[in-house]
Amino acid sequence: MNATADLTARLTGLVDALRAHGVRIGTGETVDAARATRELGLADRESLREGLAATLLHTTGQRPVFDAVFDLYFPRRVGAPEGRTDPADRAALRERLAAALAADDTALMARLAMEAVDGFGGYGSSPASDGWSSYQTLDRLRPQTLLARVRDEVRARDGAAGFGDRLLEDEIRRRIEEFRRMVAAEARRRVAERRDRDEIARRAVAPTADRVDFLFAGKDRLAELRRTVQPLARKLATRLAARRRRAARGSIDLRRTLRGSLSTGGVPMRPVLRRRRPARPELVLLCDVSGSVSGFSDFTMLLVQALHDQFGKVRVFAFVNRIDEVTGLLVHGAADPDGLGARIRGEAAVTGWHGSSDYGAALGEFTERYAGAVGSRTTVFVLGDARTNMGDPNLPALGELGRRARRVHWLNPEPRSRWGTGDSAALEYAGLVGMHECRTVRQLSDLIGRLLPV
Amino acid sequence: MFTSVDDVLARLAEAGYLASPAVATTVFLADRLGKPLLVEGPAGVGKTELAKAVAQVAGARLVRLQCYEGVDESRALYEWNHAKQLLRISAGRDETWDEARTDIFSEEFLLPRPLLTAIRGNDPKVLLIDETDKADVEVEGLLLEVLSDFQVTVPELGTVTASRRPFVVLTSNATRELSEALRRRCLFLHIGFPDAELERRIVRLKVPGIDAALAESVVRVVGALRAMDLRKAPSVAETVDWARTLLALGAGTLDEAVVRDSLGVILKHQDDILKAEAKLDLDAV
């Protein structure tokens, strides 16, 4: 009975932690998860993991969060690894790790990750402040420096001939990456054993990619986001097409309905709907590419570029304190998404005398130099945090833009509560055009699905 | 239907479907909990094949509803056979209205479509609802009643309830987000690309006569391509196609020329081919 109660508590704890990460789980699913646990038993941990994932999750993006939380609530083992060798023997551990990497032995790698955290990850001495650090473990162990050695070992074993040889380095790099992930998970587990598990599950597990704040996303996270551009664009295109179809079923064309009714003796049997002109809307993007918001701008530019076939014309302009057209840099195929930001800063004239952003000057230059880009069919998106470094916000220029374009939207990656604080001119600009908070991919895709013209 | 997860694995393998442990576990649970199975994943990883294999293993009839834009009630659920009803009315001229009315709305004049077919009758069935994301949102509403209670309401006849629940598999390519309500009624399974071990076994099963070393290098190259962040990563179907092509070309091992010439089999975009050639150091001639 006691074991059942403990299992139930663990399961509901897991569900609570997932809910805290924005996974929507109802009571019905929790009950299903419990039934799945009964059917599968606790003997096979991986099977239990899959069973719980199948009952609790609804989309693919939730899986990384689930895996991390699952490891905390259903750990492979508790406490320190048994039968370990001398913990301080760094050279011996590296030796064994190299052998495991060469043989691609995942089970052994997992065991070594455990020993590594136990041997090198501990810090602090008092029970209140001590803990386990994956950073410290990896810093002492330096698995990345094993690459050359493992490569030579595998080559000596299999021979350097054959086509597969050129793939070897990347494969080993991926294995090392996998080992680093194992170390991080193991350190999290050890910490959770000492502190409150629920607390760790909420804070130490990275959120799903579409809920990461653009402004605080690290390099890996941004790379991960960029990989979601294509699938997201496909979804948005379907949504736009549905909106377009609905919009096409418009009002009744009275003249043509009456003319059609002549053949039925003047009784209008078939209503004729007014045909819409198939003019595709045009899009202009003004992107702040200064350091603080460049992650957000890059992502949005790639997303709009991926959607380009939905529009008659897409033009993209980048600015810091001067503005320049970068549409050409975004062309499909030639574009290497990872280097996009660097290329824009290298090839386009986006900065003048200094390197800090100046919205007033950039908007002024845009209305002056590219007035022809904006017409009655154009929707303009401005992307940026509206932090103009105490410069003149140049409200008339934005007002002019608003009068000339069909619509102007401003997407701001800062939380609404920080608009207008410090050097932010967000509230002034928001008085002229619609400004939307856009902190995560989820918010961005909602906004784009709603705001894009059809 | 199944006794354990290992039983699922073994029997699916007999039917020629090599499942990963994740797939086997979820199929086992779907059977035990009696819930529909929603399968997502990239094209060509064997989502539809899974349903076919389960049907074969269970000795069940496969009922398939292929979704597309504009599929509606009369295509998915049932339809009255109007022509036959008219014939019936004109055949019995002398009878009263009441007699005719009760007669023309009977089972005889009902044309069952896949969803109704799947829940009528006593023989075991596997219902495959393919590419659910292509159907309109209204059809999802229709599916809710069928999937949660396994019943269909025909106003003139009453409610038809399944005496024997079919094993339901829904597939989706995620071009549209399916509604939360539909997802909550299903077990969710994402079939990704298999790991190298499993993929080698799949290649050797599907391409009999391929050399083990060649299969291994094919899988390695495909694995490297998938790590490359391409527009369309090669799927299992492409791996198998490629292995067949290599076998037909009589290539015993992979080398630069062979890979360059046959890259079009696994990569479908010119950008991707260029990128792969650069990363794999295939010097263009």
Side-chain angles (χ1 to χ4, degrees):
Chain A
M1 193 60 221
N2 218 353
T4 322
D6 179 52
L7 184 59
T8 316
R10 243 167 227 264
L11 203 55
T12 47
L14 174 89
V15 168
D16 275 342
L18 287 173
R19 282 184 188 142
H21 279 283
V23 183
R24 301 215 333 236
I25 301 174
T27 320
E29 282 109 304
T30 317
V31 173
D32 277 340
R35 285 171 63 203
T37 318
R38 196 187 59 200
E39 293 292 342
L40 293 169
L42 296 173
D44 185 349
R45 180 164 170 269
E46 289 312 305
S47 168
L48 181 67
R49 182 199 291 268
E50 298 301 337
L52 292 184
T55 44
L56 293 175
L57 302 187
H58 300 306
T59 58
T60 318
Q62 300 162 341
R63 189 61 198 252
V65 167
F66 171 84
D67 278 337
V69 173
F70 179 86
D71 283 338
L72 290 181
Y73 282 87
F74 294 89
R76 188 184 297 279
R77 59 195 308 135
V78 253
E82 316 137 358
R84 62 187 149 153
T85 47
D86 183 12
D89 194 353
R90 177 168 164 272
L93 193 61
R94 272 172 65 89
E95 195 77 30
R96 287 163 64 205
L97 180 59
L101 288 170
D104 194 14
D105 182 346
T106 338
L108 185 55
M109 272 156 67
R111 178 166 171 80
L112 290 174
M114 221 175 272
E115 285 180 27
V117 171
D118 190 58
F120 307 105
Y123 63 85
S125 49
S126 73
S129 70
D130 65 350
W132 303 94
S133 154
S134 62
Y135 176 76
Q136 183 182 313
T137 313
L138 292 170
D139 191 46
R140 296 217 184 131
L141 204 59
R142 297 192 169 278
Q144 64 276 23
T145 56
L146 288 171
L147 175 65
R149 218 184 107 187
V150 174
R151 184 193 57 209
D152 294 343
E153 241 169 68
V154 176
R155 268 195 196 145
R157 197 185 58 201
D158 297 349
F163 187 79
D165 191 51
R166 67 188 73 194
L167 310 174
L168 193 59
E169 280 200 19
D170 281 334
E171 280 175 1
I172 296 171
R173 236 174 247 133
R174 283 205 293 277
R175 284 177 210 164
I176 293 177
E177 209 42 55
E178 176 72 17
F179 178 72
R180 299 173 73 99
R181 223 181 36 72
M182 286 173 180
V183 168
E186 170 66 10
R188 226 172 13 233
R189 178 183 77 80
R190 293 298 289 273
V191 173
E193 250 167 36
R194 309 210 49 122
R195 309 263 169 75
D196 181 14
R197 186 167 52 208
D198 299 337
E199 177 71 18
I200 299 296
R202 271 176 191 67
R203 286 192 316 153
V205 173
T208 50
D210 63 342
R211 285 158 54 94
V212 177
D213 218 312
F214 281 120
L215 293 180
F216 306 114
K219 220 172 124 206
D220 319 353
R221 251 20 232 288
L222 286 174
E224 190 182 328
L225 287 182
R226 273 195 292 272
R227 279 197 290 279
T228 64
V229 163
Q230 290 296 343
L232 183 60
R234 220 176 40 169
K235 259 179 222 168
L236 286 173
T238 330
R239 217 182 291 173
L240 285 177
R243 264 178 65 196
R244 200 168 285 150
R245 256 201 320 277
R246 272 202 297 279
R249 291 201 284 265
S251 51
I252 285 187
D253 187 337
L254 201 60
R255 236 171 55 120
R256 284 175 52 222
T257 305
L258 282 181
R259 201 165 69 193
S261 75
L262 289 181
S263 62
T264 50
V267 182
M269 299 286 277
R270 272 191 39 235
V272 182
L273 298 181
R274 189 158 290 153
R275 219 177 276 141
R276 266 171 58 99
R277 290 188 192 292
R280 297 226 153 186
E282 293 172 10
L283 211 59
V284 164
L285 230 58
L286 305 182
C287 310
D288 183 354
V289 292
S290 65
S292 54
V293 291
S294 62
F296 167 63
S297 302
D298 289 358
F299 181 83
T300 315
M301 275 190 254
L302 289 170
L303 183 61
V304 168
Q305 185 54 38
L307 280 169
H308 74 113
D309 50 355
Q310 298 289 318
F311 302 100
K313 198 192 249 176
V314 179
R315 292 182 76 177
V316 184
F317 299 87
F319 64 87
V320 174
N321 46 49
R322 296 196 52 201
I323 198 155
D324 199 2
E325 178 156 11
V326 296
T327 317
L329 296 179
L330 276 161
V331 176
H332 244 335
D336 159 31
D338 301 324
L340 178 66
R343 231 171 36 245
I344 286 177
R345 278 176 285 280
E347 290 179 29
V350 290
T351 48
W353 305 102
H354 54 98
S356 47
S357 52
D358 183 343
Y359 283 73
L363 286 171
E365 195 185 343
F366 179 76
T367 42
E368 217 171 87
R369 275 175 62 194
Y370 299 103
V374 177
S376 59
R377 242 190 277 160
T378 324
T379 300
V380 181
F381 278 85
V382 187
L383 316 176
D385 57 4
R387 295 204 171 267
T388 179
N389 291 305
M390 298 303 173
D392 169 27
N394 200 351
L395 296 176
L398 187 65
E400 168 68 20
L401 202 59
R403 266 190 299 284
R404 211 163 329 130
R406 179 170 154 195
R407 270 285 165 66
V408 180
H409 300 290
W410 190 305
L411 305 185
N412 193 332
E414 279 196 337
R416 198 173 283 268
S417 57
R418 280 176 51 204
W419 292 3
T421 60
D423 60 348
S424 165
L427 295 178
E428 280 107 312
Y429 287 133
L432 290 174
V433 299
M435 189 173 280
H436 310 271
E437 179 187 271
C438 186
R439 290 163 59 197
T440 62
V441 172
R442 178 177 296 205
Q443 277 180 333
L444 178 65
S445 60
D446 278 355
L447 282 171
I448 290 212
R450 217 174 60 225
L451 299 180
L452 276 188
V454 290
Chain B
M1 201 148 82
F2 299 105
T3 55
S4 70
V5 175
D6 291 331
D7 182 42
V8 179
L9 266 178
R11 285 170 64 190
L12 284 180
E14 273 170 36
Y17 188 95
L18 297 178
S20 66
V23 172
T25 308
T26 320
V27 167
F28 174 70
L29 279 181
D31 174 38
R32 280 301 169 95
L33 305 185
K35 293 192 88 178
L37 185 59
L38 169 63
V39 189
E40 276 190 358
V45 289
K47 301 187 290 291
T48 309
E49 285 308 309
L50 175 63
K52 290 184 184 163
V54 170
Q56 193 185 333
V57 163
R61 193 173 131 211
L62 183 73
V63 182
R64 180 168 179 166
L65 171 63
Q66 181 72 44
C67 292
Y68 50 89
E69 219 174 278
V71 66
D72 59 0
E73 208 169 42
S74 59
R75 293 299 163 97
L77 211 49
Y78 69 90
E79 203 174 5
W80 288 108
N81 192 341
H82 293 301
K84 202 171 171 189
Q85 282 174 333
L86 281 177
L87 279 175
R88 168 69 186 77
I89 292 168
S90 50
R93 288 220 175 245
D94 306 329
E95 65 189 359
T96 62
W97 162 241
D98 278 336
E99 280 167 356
R101 188 185 53 189
T102 47
D103 200 38
I104 57 169
F105 288 111
S106 62
E107 295 247 354
E108 195 193 341
F109 298 93
L110 195 66
L111 291 175
R113 300 295 184 205
L115 291 183
L116 187 59
T117 312
I119 63 171
R120 282 208 312 184
N122 273 325
D123 52 328
K125 290 191 196 74
V126 172
L127 170 63
L128 166 63
I129 304 176
D130 215 359
E131 313 210 12
T132 316
D133 51 332
K134 298 267 166 32
D136 304 312
V137 185
E138 294 79 12
V139 178
E140 274 184 33
L142 198 69
L143 289 176
L144 292 183
E145 186 190 8
V146 178
L147 295 186
S148 56
D149 301 328
F150 291 95
Q151 63 178 37
V152 169
T153 309
V154 183
E156 296 86 352
L157 277 183
T159 304
V160 182
T161 311
S163 51
R164 180 175 186 147
R165 289 189 167 197
F167 185 95
V168 185
V169 179
L170 296 94
T171 74
S172 157
N173 275 325
T175 46
R176 175 171 69 80
E177 283 292 349
L178 299 177
S179 72
E180 192 79 2
L182 183 64
R183 286 174 178 278
R184 291 192 44 178
R185 281 169 174 75
C186 301
L187 291 185
F188 177 73
L189 170 66
H190 177 261
I191 303 188
F193 300 126
D195 59 15
E197 224 283 307
L198 182 59
E199 193 159 22
R200 273 200 296 274
R201 280 170 52 210
I202 294 174
V203 168
R204 294 180 64 182
L205 179 78
K206 297 282 171 193
V207 192
I210 195 168
D211 173 49
L214 182 60
E216 158 134 29
S217 24
V218 163
V219 169
R220 269 180 86 181
V221 173
V222 170
L225 289 173
R226 281 181 195 148
M228 255 178 221
D229 189 14
L230 301 172
R231 278 177 69 187
K232 167 79 179 75
S235 194
V236 185
E238 272 99 41
T239 316
V240 171
D241 277 350
W242 196 35
R244 283 208 184 111
T245 312
L246 293 174
L247 199 65
L249 289 175
T253 51
L254 284 184
D255 58 44
E256 270 178 33
V258 172
V259 174
R260 192 173 52 237
D261 292 343
S262 57
L263 213 50
V265 179
I266 30 176
L267 298 179
K268 311 290 165 148
H269 292 281
Q270 187 58 26
D271 309 349
D272 288 354
I273 295 182
L274 290 177
K275 199 168 185 178
E277 280 179 351
K279 290 236 173 124
L280 292 176
D281 304 323
L282 302 173
D283 308 314
V285 190

